[in-house]
Amino acid sequence: MYAMWRLQVALCTLSVLSLSSAGESKARSCSEAKQAYNAKGFSLVNVPHQEISGEHLRVCPQGYTCCTSEMEDKLNQQSKLEFENLVDESSHNIRTTFVSRHKKFDEFFLELLDNSEKSLNSMFTRTYGKLYMQNSEVFQDLFTELKRYYTGGNVNLEEMLNDFWSRLLERMFQLLNSQYHFTDDYLECVSKYTDQLKPFGDVPRKLKAQVTRAFIAARTFVQGLMVGREVANRVAKVNVVPACVRALTKMLYCPYCRSMPGLKPCHNYCNNVMRGCLANQADLDAEWNLFIDAMLLVADRLEGPFNIEAVIEPVDIKISDAIMTMQDNSMQVSAKVFQGCGQPKPSGIGRSARGISDVFSARFRPYTPEERPTTAAGTSLNRLVIDIKDKLKESKRFWSNLPDDICAKGKLTETDDDQCWNSHTKGRYFPEVVKEGLTNQLNNPEVDVDITRPDSLIRQQIMALRVMTNKLKNAYNGNDIYFQDSSDEGSSSGSGSGCSDGCTTEFVFVGTEAPVIGADRSDERAAVAAAGKSFSSGPSLLLVVAALTLPFWAMQTQWR
């Protein structure tokens, strides 16, 4: 019995001596900690050469330590800076994706509109010469309004297109009936018969359906890329609260104070710290995923029935078809207008029997695909959409996966779960990893998160995404969120469009409102009257009708 007691005493003595020896050996040098601390750019003045008592520490373990209070404060600041850099680096790809694709799509759509306008202007100038140039502002205004809508202007597409066809009818009606004088009131009466007479056939209805849906989809998609860009940029600038800074310092730099500067944190330990620090960002994820799904739906529309490239490139041909239909039905249209609006007064302009060849020598010929100007960077809408769809799919669940991305093994954390920093020493980390999101941080063992105070900036971004997602869903169905379908006589043209609340390009973040500007048509009517007078010394009615008709007839013959 006595021998057993002596053995126990001896073992305890040896154990105490062993621990004392180990403690003394650890307290002997802080050289590794000093070297690592200096490598971070900090001064070595007042840095201890040997371990000292750690009662002064507020974050790191208070045993023997290589850190002074001043060192701990500097490591706190360093932890905050490194965390901000980690989030910035991890979100770099998603942010640059939205920035670069927004720029690419925006350039593409704007250049597509410019090229289409140039194509129409060149083709109509070659074909009709002075006759077109005297009336070119009607077509220029069409493209001006399309661009204004796309760039966020307060334009109702349906009303704007209706106005275009009414103006074109007035111009053509005067040219086809140049032997009469028409007052402004009479021309207003003519425009009221546009829907009833359908002088341009079915082209206006079809083109309105195609243009409104394509432009709504294109503008909304580009706005979506802009919103994604702004949200990603703002959320990536994290608000690092003091509780997060303490947890980060404990994870990243308390190993320095324990003279183990090369020891990386355990993977699960890092996950708990990051899920606590990024709890609000994770709450963005649900709305972000819905936003990405809506973007993908509209992208599908851009590839298919709402392809703005397929609508805009041949718009000159479609308008030409409409004009030719008007030529074919000019007698019937004029008779019905005279019946409804009354017989106009003669203008005193006589007729001429000059040949058409004296006025036009060129045949109406649209550009071949090879001759048409290339769009932005020589690419196509389909190629752009395929690229962005892949990038959008990759961005799903980005915010909830951010802690895992930052804590990837071998990067920030140790691959060996038994040889890692577990918040107080080298060894396995036993607490369970909490789920992502603010409410799940109530039991986070590493970060003291106030779940009753959500981050206001994150909540604003959630609302911005919610508004944009609703707009995308409307665009998917061909509807603009601000204007519903007013009247399309039961056709499948989709909704009208425009903005009653001032939807600028920065529509979620900036709320400017532009007034709807009505077209002043007094100048154009004066121009038409002047053009009509010029025909008294030039082409007669017969010449004008033939000049307008022959090129279109030649074009149709060519296509057949």
Side-chain angles (χ1 to χ4, degrees), residues 90-109:
S90 298
S91 62
H92 176 75
N93 284 342
I94 190 172
R95 288 183 290 112
T96 55
T97 290
F98 278 93
V99 169
S100 62
R101 271 46 178 200
H102 174 267
K103 184 173 183 290
K104 193 71 174 176
F105 270 88
D106 195 43
E107 287 177 351
F108 177 86
F109 289 140

Side-chain angles (χ1 to χ4, degrees), residues 444-458:
N444 191 313
E446 307 303 335
V447 189
D448 184 16
V449 181
D450 186 354
I451 65 171
T452 65
R453 299 184 65 183
D455 188 299
S456 60
L457 175 66
I458 301 296

Side-chain angles (χ1 to χ4, degrees), residues 361-434:
S361 59
R363 289 164 60 86
F364 182 91
R365 181 179 63 84
Y367 282 116
T368 65
E370 293 76 20
E371 290 175 318
R372 280 188 178 277
T374 56
T375 50
T379 188
S380 71
L381 182 59
N382 283 345
R383 284 198 291 270
L384 288 175
V385 171
I386 290 170
D387 168 70
I388 191 60
K389 283 171 70 175
D390 290 339
K391 299 294 183 182
L392 289 171
K393 290 172 184 175
E394 292 172 6
S395 73
K396 288 196 71 173
R397 290 191 57 78
F398 173 80
W399 302 106
S400 60
N401 288 334
L402 187 55
D404 295 330
D405 293 340
I406 292 175
C407 294
K409 285 189 176 183
K411 181 182 176 183
L412 182 65
T413 62
E414 179 57 57
T415 55
D416 188 341
D417 290 338
D418 292 315
Q419 300 293 314
C420 53
W421 176 252
N422 63 11
S423 79
H424 56 278
T425 189
K426 181 194 289 186
R428 180 173 287 272
Y429 181 79
F430 291 101
E432 292 184 1
V433 177
V434 297

Side-chain angles (χ1 to χ4, degrees), residues 36 50 88 107 141 143 187 247 270 313 382 396 415 439 449 452:
Q50 293 183 334
D88 185 74
E107 287 177 351
D141 289 348
F143 282 98
L187 292 175
C270 177
E313 277 201 341
N382 283 345
K396 288 196 71 173
T415 55
T439 57
V449 181
T452 65

